[in-house]
């Protein structure tokens, strides 16, 4: 069974990221979307570029996978 984080990791490794960069990217996306502002994909990508991320790293599909992962993680923490 493939997990969301497994898919994210594989796709980002294929784009040349190493595990520490993958973790940082997910944390940066989490920080951007938790800013309390309405987040569109364009807003998130612009903020990530301001943080130094290249545009090729994050497409809409990857962003959706990261959103799903963060949402699942948040739901899991509530249940614990």
């Amino acid at each position: 069974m493939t997990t969301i984080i497994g898919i994210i990791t594989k796709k980002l490794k294929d784009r040349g990221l190493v595990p520490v960069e993958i973790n940082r990217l997910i944390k940066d996306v989490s920080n951007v979307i938790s800013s309390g502002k309405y987040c569109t994909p364009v807003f998130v990508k612009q903020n990530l570029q301001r943080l130094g991320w290249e545009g090729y790293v994050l497409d809409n599909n990857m962003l959706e996978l990261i959103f799903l992962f963060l949402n699942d993680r948040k739901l899991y923490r509530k249940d614990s």
Side-chain angles (χ1 to χ4, degrees):
M1 180 174 173
T2 305
T3 62
I4 294 172
I5 193 63
I7 295 168
I8 292 169
T9 301
K10 183 188 179 323
K11 288 181 178 267
L12 290 175
K13 279 184 180 179
D14 290 348
R15 294 178 189 183
L17 274 67
V18 295
V20 70
E21 292 172 318
I22 295 168
N23 290 337
R24 183 73 243 171
L25 177 62
I26 292 170
K27 187 168 186 158
D28 285 347
V29 170
S30 177
N31 288 337
V32 169
I33 64 175
S34 69
S35 68
K37 297 180 181 177
Y38 178 73
C39 293
T40 63
V42 172
F43 174 82
V44 174
K45 289 178 193 177
Q46 287 172 342
N47 279 277
L48 290 173
Q49 286 179 336
R50 286 188 194 114
L51 293 171
W53 290 102
E54 298 291 332
Y56 73 89
V57 171
L58 196 68
D59 59 19
N60 287 347
N61 291 330
M62 182 58 60
L63 187 58
E64 187 65 30
L65 285 170
I66 293 173
F67 283 165
L68 287 171
F69 170 72
L70 293 171
N71 191 43
D72 282 352
R73 196 173 75 182
K74 191 165 102 175
L75 289 173
Y76 177 75
R77 285 185 179 172
K78 282 185 181 177
D79 292 342
S80 300

